Amino acid sequence: MDRHIPFDALHNFRDLGDYPTPDGTHRVRPGRLYRSDSLGKLTEGTRDWDRFLSLGIGTVIDLRYPWEIERSGRVPEHPSLTYHNLSIEHRPYDQAALTADIDPGPYLAERFMEVAQDGVKEIRAALETIAESARSDTPVVFHCASGKDRTGEIAALVLALLGIDEETIVEDFTLTELATEALLANWRTRNNGATPTWPGWGRAPAAVMRLFLTALKERHGSVEAYVAQSLGLDAEALSATLREALLEPRPTTHPPLTFRKATEADAPALVRLRDSAALWQLARGIDQWKPGEKNEAHFVHRMKEGEVWLTYAGETLTGAWELWWTDEAAWGPRPDDAGYIHRLMTTPHTAPPGTGRAMLAEAESRITAAGRPYARLDCLSTNPRLRAYYESAGYRVVGEQPAKTDGGGSPYAVTLLEKRLSP
């Protein structure tokens, strides 16, 4: 599942559903809790407006300053919508005009702490409104201008009260990275083609949310303590209300997996899938993939040089992988005795259990059908978790390549793994 719901004018509208609780037994209910960039970009009578109304949203929380709303507009009025303007930020600042030497992580984390301190009245009202909407089974959306900072702070508080782990909260914040280019394009259009002086504009590095949550806990002890001490709410009761209304058991049955060979038209979806997987990794301290490293041209090239496959559960994209027939960068010159599996990736949180293993098996069957007796792959030498996963699937370590290069940066060390396939 791509969390971003496609609109023409909105670029950061997404569903907070499907995030799992740490014990894996429950998930946030899909279709009940949304976050977005400015809904002032919606226009009545358009496809966007019809799509928005089709979500059944009954509550809109606009976190912007009143002067932003006057300048840029608000969500159109509609009988089905209850609108709340709760400006949680009290100290305005111009991110676009910041200088390049300012590190987004600590700088924005400090702004988030200012909001947590200044906006207690509005944050309290926002959380109470979300809880009331949850009790009445009314879908709710909250938003600011870009759907990143003020929206991200409210999302973090709600997810924490739902019991979602910190790594997932950080990941959710970073998903704005998938919308950064579109948000930048909009900014340039509004500003006569200029570019923000701050390279961090529109970016959502994991360090921002990680530092903010650390600072909030150092000052208050926990998110719940902040809600109780600073907001004056019964944090235990609020958390119980949100969990009762917005959590549900995770599905135990799933549609069967199917596999389809990718075409050039699938390249944009493959880029988004890989970037989503990269953000999942970074939120968990796994320094392997980076968003933006592989573009559409990469996947089109791999389709021409080998094979790229997509995995679906029902009609929903849940994973993909590349299959190469040579890999000299990692393995050196070899006879035609193997297929090389690369970029095995699944949709974070939503792929059915066992999807990765099923994709490996499908790739291995393709290699066997080509008359080659070995499946080979590699993983970063600094990623023992991934190595263990492949070993559990029957692969064995056969060597190390200390200086692999893919043409995109400095050489890096990888562990080489191999599996003998049954004919």
Side-chain angles (χ1 to χ4, degrees):
M1 181 185 89
D2 188 338
R3 294 192 172 279
H4 283 81
I5 296 175
F7 287 87
D8 295 325
L10 305 178
H11 306 298
N12 205 12
F13 191 107
R14 41 196 162 102
D15 193 340
L16 289 168
D18 274 305
Y19 284 135
T21 54
D23 63 6
T25 61
H26 288 72
R27 67 174 182 177
V28 180
R29 293 175 64 193
R32 289 296 178 269
L33 194 59
Y34 298 98
R35 53 178 295 172
S36 181
D37 47 331
S38 173
L39 298 184
K41 293 182 279 189
L42 290 174
T43 303
E44 292 178 279
T46 63
R47 290 187 307 170
D48 274 2
W49 184 238
D50 291 342
R51 186 176 294 116
F52 177 78
L53 292 178
S54 73
L55 298 174
I57 292 170
T59 303
V60 174
I61 302 173
D62 189 336
L63 303 171
R64 296 174 297 162
Y65 291 97
W67 56 262
E68 289 179 278
I69 298 167
E70 183 177 351
R71 181 183 66 188
S72 303
R74 50 153 281 184
V75 66
E77 294 187 16
H78 191 271
S80 67
L81 297 176
T82 301
Y83 175 81
H84 305 265
N85 177 213
L86 299 169
S87 179
I88 65 173
E89 183 182 277
H90 291 193
R91 307 183 210 183
Y93 61 104
D94 186 359
Q95 288 193 22
L98 297 175
T99 54
D101 60 308
I102 295 176
D103 186 342
Y107 180 81
L108 289 176
E110 288 179 11
R111 304 290 79 73
F112 282 27
M113 284 299 292
E114 289 175 354
V115 170
Q117 175 184 333
D118 298 343
V120 290
K121 177 182 176 182
E122 294 83 4
I123 294 172
R124 172 182 175 132
L127 294 180
E128 289 178 320
T129 301
I130 291 169
E132 180 56 37
S133 296
R135 270 193 296 264
S136 62
D137 202 25
T138 302
V140 59
V141 59
F142 49 93
H143 75 89
C144 53
S146 296
K148 178 172 75 78
D149 298 326
R150 290 166 285 185
T151 298
E153 191 157 342
I154 294 298
L157 296 176
V158 173
L159 290 174
L161 290 167
L162 284 169
I164 304 304
D165 65 85
E166 184 171 316
E167 290 175 335
T168 301
I169 294 172
V170 171
E171 176 194 352
D172 177 71
F173 175 74
T174 67
L175 287 177
T176 288
E177 292 279 337
L178 300 179
T180 296
E181 288 305 315
L183 294 170
L184 268 172
N186 274 4
W187 192 94
R188 294 186 183 108
T189 298
R190 297 193 308 270
N191 291 274
N192 301 314
T195 297
T197 59
W198 192 39
W201 193 93
R203 304 302 303 273
V208 177
M209 183 56 66
R210 200 174 283 127
L211 289 170
F212 165 64
L213 292 174
T214 298
L216 194 72
K217 292 174 184 177
E218 287 176 350
R219 181 172 299 181
H220 299 281
S222 66
V223 169
E224 290 79 8
Y226 164 74
V227 169
Q229 297 165 6
S230 293
L231 306 186
L233 292 170
D234 185 333
E236 185 176 344
L238 176 62
S239 178
T241 295
L242 292 172
R243 295 182 191 209
E244 181 178 357
L246 294 176
L247 295 182
E248 66 180 11
R250 295 187 78 182
T252 56
T253 59
H254 303 273
L257 295 178
T258 57
F259 307 97
R260 175 174 69 80
K261 203 171 185 178
T263 68
E264 290 189 19
D266 297 310
L270 286 161
V271 171
R272 285 188 76 84
L273 177 56
R274 187 192 180 278
D275 286 350
S276 297
L279 292 169
W280 182 94
Q281 291 176 4
L282 291 172
R284 288 154 182 81
I286 302 171
D287 188 14
Q288 180 161 344
W289 291 357
K290 304 291 191 303
E293 284 180 324
K294 303 299 179 187
N295 57 18
E296 293 179 24
H298 163 83
F299 288 102
V300 171
H301 174 72
R302 294 320 321 172
M303 292 173 203
K304 293 176 180 177
E305 293 295 317
E307 300 177 2
V308 181
W309 285 80
L310 303 174
T311 305
Y312 290 85
E315 297 182 357
T316 303
L317 178 65
T318 58
W321 77 91
E322 298 173 12
L323 182 56
W324 302 8
W325 299 115
T326 62
D327 186 8
E328 290 196 14
W331 294 82
R334 295 270 180 155
D336 296 336
D337 62 351
Y340 301 84
I341 302 168
H342 284 273
R343 261 165 288 287
L344 188 82
M345 49 192 177
T346 61
T347 52
H349 310 296
T350 58
T355 296
R357 191 64 64 85
M359 292 195 300
L360 276 177
E362 181 68 16
E364 290 161 8
S365 73
R366 295 288 304 169
I367 296 168
T368 299
R372 301 192 177 199
Y374 294 101
R376 295 185 180 131
L377 45 79
D378 65 73
C379 67
L380 277 181
S381 298
T382 54
N383 192 344
R385 178 176 174 181
L386 185 57
R387 168 179 164 170
Y389 175 80
Y390 288 134
E391 287 180 316
S392 70
Y395 288 79
R396 64 185 185 90
V397 174
V398 294
E400 297 282 334
Q401 165 57 272
K404 179 181 176 180
T405 178
D406 60 6
S410 302
Y412 51 94
V414 295
T415 299
L416 305 176
L417 298 103
E418 180 180 87
K419 182 178 182 178
R420 175 82 185 194
L421 304 177
S422 300

